[in-house]
Amino acid sequence: MSIITLTTDFGQKDHFVGVMKGVILGINPAATLVDLVHDLPPQGLTQAAFILMSAFSFFPKGTVHLAVVDPGVGTKRHMVVIEAGNHYFVGPDNGLFSYVLDKVPLFEARYIENPSLALPQISRTFHGRDYMAPAAAHLSLGFAFDEVGPLANDLTRLKTLRPEIKPNLIRGEVIYIDRFGNLITNIPNEECEGWEVIISAGPLTLHGLARSYSEVGPGKHLAVTGSSGFLEIARSMDSAENPPDLTLGTPVQIKKSKQ
Amino acid sequence: MSIITLTTDFGQKDHFVGVMKGVILGINPAATLVDLVHDLPPQGLTQAAFILMSAFSFFPKGTVHLAVVDPGVGTKRHMVVIEAGNHYFVGPDNGLFSYVLDKVPLFEARYIENPSLALPQISRTFHGRDYMAPAAAHLSLGFAFDEVGPLANDLTRLKTLRPEIKPNLIRGEVIYIDRFGNLITNIPNEECEGWEVIISAGPLTLHGLARSYSEVGPGKHLAVTGSSGFLEIARSMDSAENPPDLTLGTPVQIKKSKQ
Amino acid sequence: MSIITLTTDFGQKDHFVGVMKGVILGINPAATLVDLVHDLPPQGLTQAAFILMSAFSFFPKGTVHLAVVDPGVGTKRHMVVIEAGNHYFVGPDNGLFSYVLDKVPLFEARYIENPSLALPQISRTFHGRDYMAPAAAHLSLGFAFDEVGPLANDLTRLKTLRPEIKPNLIRGEVIYIDRFGNLITNIPNEECEGWEVIISAGPLTLHGLARSYSEVGPGKHLAVTGSSGFLEIARSMDSAENPPDLTLGTPVQIKKSKQ
């Protein structure tokens, strides 16, 4: 078994994802390829980082996660392979794996420098195809991790997602909006479960957690412990992003008291 | 061989479909995963039901069809597994498989209740990942159908698709519009083939069936026996949905006489 | 190993691609299926032809490339199988494979006429499912090429992509725009590399080639040797398609002189 997931900002109107799959299958014909997301906003680094963090642990150990959101392609930026929690991550060194590494602080990272991992011909603008897809394919075949290249001891990292947590007060924000318009915050579910909570988000105040999206009437907002591990603000049968003006970055504050 | 198809309203901008695939491959690493459709309108129950009915029989017997359009997630709604025509169907009990069962009236349905089918951790809002994907994976490995849970003798059903059929008159409607703007009706091809027909749909009157989309001039409407088994109204080199005002639910009437 | 790629204008909101995959897996359960592109504009023949040309050679030899952009479905147009460069191509005979064949001029083409390749039931409007998907599946299992049907000696071809090339002047045009708004021309990279070049495209004049998208300031245009083998005009951190009015068909002229 060798699973390789693919996360890119390539969209779906071009052949770029398919071409990377062709390169992978040329090296490892038995690889099982799974698309995570390709419809990221171009250069949507934080969204990609959130998706990788939310998804990777649902795959079997040993899975290789190839992620190509690479606005710096062709510049001196490094490409890296990371082993964390028995998963492998392959991508540019631009912070894509930051949130994964916030969750799995014990990891080893190496720069992709071994020339035997690259395609014979290298383009200026598609290193996903020329360097990273082949590296992922070779890793899925058991290529020795310490032969990938030198240790990468100073990875580029995004600002952590962690909210400000005080005994009875949490200050976080909306960090992701899903296709249903549910607003995912950076406040871990476990900080809220078992407490009496009052949630403030923009002009909205919500008392307590709902057990399902349909616990309140259609069009009403609710807060619920989300499936990605973080508190979500949703709107029954509607998008929570519609007025009252909640969006990416909206501050979310929770007052906690004993139940 | 074990094929699992996936039909959801999750769209493609989030990681939700990928995560279900990770869960499935963790249980059955040899599963072949095929996306049917994920770009359904949110909570697009009837569209999903139409797609499942139109598609399932083109897959080999033994295929497991996982469908997650689940606005009632977290409420008391049941989840079901259905065996019909040597295919398996897994999803919420909200009518998703109604049109399949209109076609294959002999079936057995069971509620998903065996706890060994679920993930160890259950969220409030993503039962597709926590219950239904694992159930589909276990079924694809040959999990005993009668150990899934108790018989489900009172499935939720959608209103049947069947049109009103009289000897020389059929009254149906537009039930699906495809990406090309072809209007698919609920009138079975076999009710029209071999007859002289006059088709009325909104302000439109069409005489006889065309043999191809390009039999009439560009921009002209035509009726054709469709590839999903139902009469379609199309527009040569254009979308039939453009004026004259044909859309979902538009009544379609056919007068039949001997050829 | 048997890989089958799929290229269509079916979009992703319907079940048509999934149904073709079901048909293929019914014939060859071990096939590895890879989507190239389905979000082509309806009847986007030249875009499909460009994508096939750009992508096929990154797949292993022996891959079967199934392409269904088929506005003439149901008319007398032929369907063909082509062997070129140890790849197989299956689709309607409407020019879809023209640019592949411009690149691989030595090929053999046959009309799909052997009835054992088709599904038992044939629809009027979905020959991708009824003829071409089964033909691709049988080919991937080693079906004898010369039993597909008679030799096709007069394939439909699109106008060649080749630009006008003089010693110090090349006249080409924009032939494809990718999702990032990069404008891909029909001018081969190797005509520019190693020369002093001045590139004119619409109101734009660019001196020399950039080594990466970010070599110029944000919002500035640049020319770069592209990953598909052709010169591209891009715009750093933006879409090159935005004003100044560059789009499909915009003439691109290059003056060359010794470096």
Side-chain angles (χ1 to χ4, degrees):
Chain A
M1 171 185 53
S2 51
I3 300 169
I4 300 175
T5 74
L6 296 100
T7 302
T8 75
D9 63 348
F10 294 172
Q12 310 207 45
K13 70 172 277 303
D14 306 308
H15 48 290
F16 304 134
V17 173
V19 161
M20 291 207 304
K21 292 179 179 176
V23 167
I24 291 171
L25 292 170
I27 295 166
N28 182 359
T32 297
L33 302 171
V34 179
D35 297 301
L36 270 184
V37 175
H38 301 297
D39 288 345
L40 290 162
Q43 287 111 41
L45 210 54
T46 57
Q47 289 97 326
F50 176 80
I51 280 169
L52 286 160
M53 175 201 60
S54 302
F56 84 95
S57 62
F58 288 95
F59 285 82
K61 287 186 192 304
T63 296
V64 179
H65 304 277
L66 170 61
V68 186
V69 178
D70 193 15
V73 61
T75 66
K76 292 266 176 224
R77 67 94 185 77
H78 286 287
M79 290 168 280
V80 291
V81 168
I82 303 171
E83 193 276 306
N86 290 310
H87 287 254
Y88 294 91
F89 299 87
V90 181
D93 176 23
N94 60 12
L96 266 182
F97 307 115
S98 294
Y99 304 157
V100 169
L101 302 183
D102 285 349
K103 242 176 148 180
V104 189
L106 215 67
F107 64 88
E108 187 176 317
R110 290 182 176 273
Y111 295 125
I112 302 178
E113 293 196 358
N114 189 326
S116 72
L117 292 173
L119 290 195
Q121 260 197 306
I122 302 296
S123 67
R124 292 201 181 284
T125 57
F126 197 1
H127 291 180
R129 176 190 72 192
D130 304 334
Y131 288 107
M132 296 181 260
H138 285 293
L139 277 173
S140 78
L141 284 170
F143 188 90
F145 187 75
D146 54 7
E147 291 178 19
V148 168
L151 282 170
N153 289 318
D154 187 27
L155 287 182
T156 303
R157 297 288 283 265
L158 304 177
K159 188 167 125 328
T160 180
L161 283 182
R162 288 196 196 95
E164 183 189 340
I165 298 180
K166 296 184 181 171
N168 295 301
L169 187 72
I170 307 174
R171 282 186 224 271
E173 62 181 290
V174 174
I175 56 167
Y176 188 86
I177 302 176
D178 74 19
R179 97 91 140 208
F180 298 100
N182 299 319
L183 308 167
I184 303 179
T185 75
N186 60 341
I187 299 169
N189 287 337
E190 58 268 24
E191 293 292 336
C192 308
E193 281 163 331
W195 294 78
E196 202 74 54
V197 293
I198 301 171
I199 298 131
S200 313
L204 204 72
T205 304
L206 298 166
H207 292 262
L209 300 176
R211 278 156 303 175
S212 77
Y213 291 134
S214 42
E215 199 176 274
V216 300
K220 300 260 183 227
H221 286 83
L222 58 103
V224 64
T225 52
S227 66
S228 299
F230 297 100
L231 191 80
E232 291 180 23
I233 295 167
R235 196 171 189 175
S236 191
M237 307 303 282
D238 198 350
S239 164
E241 210 184 354
N242 290 345
D245 301 321
L246 302 177
T247 188
L248 275 182
T250 295
V252 177
Q253 180 174 293
I254 297 186
K255 286 189 192 145
K256 292 164 66 167
S257 54
K258 289 248 165 69
Q259 270 186 327
Chain B
M1 171 185 53
S2 50
I3 300 169
I4 300 176
T5 75
L6 296 99
T7 303
T8 74
D9 62 348
F10 294 172
Q12 310 208 44
K13 71 172 276 304
D14 306 308
H15 48 292
F16 304 134
V17 173
V19 161
M20 291 207 304
K21 292 179 179 175
V23 167
I24 290 170
L25 293 170
I27 295 166
N28 182 0
T32 296
L33 302 171
V34 179
D35 297 302
L36 269 185
V37 176
H38 301 297
D39 288 346
L40 290 163
Q43 287 111 43
L45 211 53
T46 56
Q47 289 97 326
F50 176 79
I51 280 169
L52 286 160
M53 174 200 61
S54 302
F56 84 96
S57 61
F58 289 96
F59 285 82
K61 288 185 190 304
T63 296
V64 179
H65 304 276
L66 170 61
V68 186
V69 178
D70 193 16
V73 61
T75 66
K76 292 266 175 223
R77 68 94 185 77
H78 286 287
M79 289 168 280
V80 292
V81 168
I82 302 172
E83 193 276 307
N86 290 311
H87 288 254
Y88 294 91
F89 300 86
V90 182
D93 176 23
N94 60 11
L96 265 182
F97 306 115
S98 294
Y99 304 156
V100 170
L101 302 183
D102 285 350
K103 241 176 147 180
V104 189
L106 215 68
F107 63 88
E108 186 177 316
R110 289 182 176 272
Y111 295 125
I112 302 178
E113 293 195 359
N114 188 325
S116 73
L117 291 173
L119 290 194
Q121 261 198 306
I122 301 296
S123 67
R124 291 200 182 283
T125 57
F126 197 0
H127 291 181
R129 176 190 72 193
D130 304 335
Y131 288 107
M132 295 181 260
H138 285 293
L139 276 173
S140 78
L141 284 170
F143 189 90
F145 188 74
D146 54 7
E147 290 178 20
V148 168
L151 282 171
N153 289 319
D154 187 27
L155 287 182
T156 302
R157 297 287 284 264
L158 304 176
K159 187 168 127 323
T160 180
L161 284 183
R162 286 195 197 96
E164 183 189 340
I165 298 181
K166 295 183 181 171
N168 294 301
L169 186 72
I170 307 174
R171 281 186 223 271
E173 62 181 291
V174 174
I175 56 166
Y176 188 87
I177 303 177
D178 73 20
R179 96 90 138 209
F180 298 99
N182 298 319
L183 308 167
I184 303 179
T185 74
N186 60 341
I187 299 169
N189 287 338
E190 58 267 26
E191 294 291 336
C192 309
E193 280 163 331
W195 295 78
E196 202 74 53
V197 293
I198 301 171
I199 298 132
S200 313
L204 204 71
T205 304
L206 299 165
H207 292 262
L209 299 176
R211 278 157 302 176
S212 77
Y213 291 134
S214 42
E215 199 176 274
V216 301
K220 301 261 183 225
H221 285 83
L222 58 103
V224 65
T225 53
S227 66
S228 298
F230 297 101
L231 192 79
E232 292 180 23
I233 295 168
R235 195 171 190 175
S236 190
M237 305 304 280
D238 197 350
S239 163
E241 209 184 355
N242 290 345
D245 300 322
L246 303 178
T247 189
L248 276 183
T250 295
V252 177
Q253 180 174 294
I254 296 186
K255 285 188 194 146
K256 291 164 66 167
S257 55
K258 289 248 166 68
Q259 271 185 327
Chain C
M1 170 184 55
S2 51
I3 300 170
I4 299 175
T5 74
L6 296 98
T7 302
T8 75
D9 62 349
F10 294 172
Q12 310 209 43
K13 70 171 279 301
D14 306 308
H15 48 292
F16 305 134
V17 173
V19 160
M20 291 207 304
K21 291 179 179 176
V23 167
I24 290 170
L25 292 170
I27 294 167
N28 182 0
T32 296
L33 302 172
V34 179
D35 297 301
L36 269 185
V37 175
H38 301 297
D39 288 345
L40 290 163
Q43 288 111 41
L45 210 54
T46 57
Q47 289 96 327
F50 176 79
I51 280 169
L52 286 160
M53 174 201 60
S54 302
F56 85 95
S57 62
F58 289 96
F59 285 82
K61 287 185 191 305
T63 296
V64 178
H65 303 277
L66 170 61
V68 186
V69 177
D70 194 16
V73 61
T75 66
K76 292 264 175 224
R77 69 95 185 75
H78 286 286
M79 290 169 280
V80 290
V81 168
I82 303 172
E83 194 275 307
N86 290 309
H87 288 255
Y88 293 91
F89 299 87
V90 181
D93 177 23
N94 60 12
L96 266 182
F97 307 116
S98 294
Y99 304 157
V100 170
L101 302 183
D102 284 350
K103 242 175 147 181
V104 190
L106 214 66
F107 64 88
E108 186 176 318
R110 289 181 177 273
Y111 295 126
I112 302 178
E113 293 196 358
N114 188 326
S116 73
L117 291 173
L119 290 195
Q121 260 197 306
I122 301 296
S123 67
R124 292 201 182 281
T125 57
F126 197 179
H127 291 180
R129 177 189 72 192
D130 304 334
Y131 288 107
M132 296 181 260
H138 285 293
L139 276 173
S140 77
L141 285 171
F143 188 90
F145 188 74
D146 54 7
E147 290 177 19
V148 168
L151 282 171
N153 288 318
D154 187 27
L155 288 181
T156 303
R157 297 288 283 265
L158 304 177
K159 187 167 125 330
T160 180
L161 284 182
R162 288 195 196 97
E164 182 190 340
I165 299 181
K166 296 183 183 173
N168 295 301
L169 186 73
I170 307 174
R171 281 186 224 271
E173 62 180 291
V174 174
I175 56 167
Y176 187 87
I177 303 176
D178 74 19
R179 97 90 138 209
F180 299 99
N182 299 319
L183 308 167
I184 304 179
T185 74
N186 60 341
I187 299 169
N189 287 337
E190 58 268 24
E191 293 291 335
C192 309
E193 280 163 331
W195 294 78
E196 202 74 53
V197 293
I198 300 171
I199 298 131
S200 313
L204 204 72
T205 304
L206 298 165
H207 291 262
L209 300 175
R211 279 156 303 175
S212 77
Y213 291 134
S214 43
E215 200 175 274
V216 300
K220 300 261 182 225
H221 285 83
L222 58 102
V224 65
T225 53
S227 66
S228 299
F230 296 100
L231 191 80
E232 291 180 23
I233 296 168
R235 195 171 190 174
S236 190
M237 307 302 281
D238 197 349
S239 164
E241 210 185 355
N242 291 344
D245 300 322
L246 302 177
T247 188
L248 276 183
T250 296
V252 177
Q253 180 174 293
I254 296 185
K255 286 189 193 145
K256 291 163 67 166
S257 54
K258 289 248 165 69
Q259 269 187 326

